[in-house]
Structure formats: structure tokens, C-alpha cells
């Protein structure tokens, strides 16, 4: 159990002393960029899904006729 506690303590010390944290303004800017690209990617995925669904529906309707 002491190994686990020691590992966690060393991990926190590493985060406190050796990690370079970004400025708050950079965090805000990058959060907006990630959110924007997430929305764009979701819309693109939805669009491709709709296109394939309509294409397959049209193909199967053509086969039934």
C-alpha cells in the first residue's frame, strides 16, 4: 500500500513542479477551437449518415419497383 501512496505523491509532485501549464487565455481559446471542430465534425458525420441513408432507401425502393 505504501507503494501506491508513494506513487500518487510523486505524481502530484511531478504535476506541481515539472509540468508547464498554459495560460488561462490559451486554455479558453483552445477550448473554443475544440468545441467548434467537434460541432463541425458532428454535423459532417450527420450529413454523411443522412446521405447514405437516403441513397440506400432510394436503392431499395428502386429494387422493389
Amino acid at each position: 500500500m505504501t507503494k501506491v501512496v508513494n506513487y500518487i505523491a510523486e505524481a502530484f509532485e511531478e504535476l506541481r513542479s515539472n509540468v508547464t501549464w498554459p495560460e488561462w487565455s490559451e486554455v479558453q481559446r483552445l477550448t473554443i477551437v475544440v468545441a467548434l471542430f467537434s460541432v463541425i465534425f458532428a454535423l459532417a458525420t450527420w450529413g454523411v449518415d443522412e446521405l447514405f441513408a437516403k441513397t440506400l432507401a432510394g436503392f431499395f425502393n428502386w429494387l422493389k419497383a
Side-chain angles (χ1 to χ4, degrees):
M1 186 65 173
T2 58
K3 285 185 177 183
V4 173
V5 172
N6 191 29
Y7 174 78
I8 292 172
E10 288 177 3
F12 275 109
E13 180 59 33
E14 181 85 16
L15 287 172
R16 196 176 310 118
S17 61
N18 294 338
V19 174
T20 303
W21 296 98
E23 296 292 323
W24 180 243
S25 60
E26 185 179 8
V27 171
Q28 289 175 325
R29 184 179 59 82
L30 292 177
T31 300
I32 291 170
V33 169
V34 168
L36 182 64
F37 276 109
S38 296
V39 168
I40 291 170
F41 186 73
L43 288 174
T45 303
W46 172 77
V48 169
D49 181 55
E50 285 293 317
L51 177 70
F52 282 144
K54 289 182 183 196
T55 302
L56 285 175
F59 176 72
F60 286 121
N61 284 336
W62 177 72
L63 284 179
K64 278 198 311 192

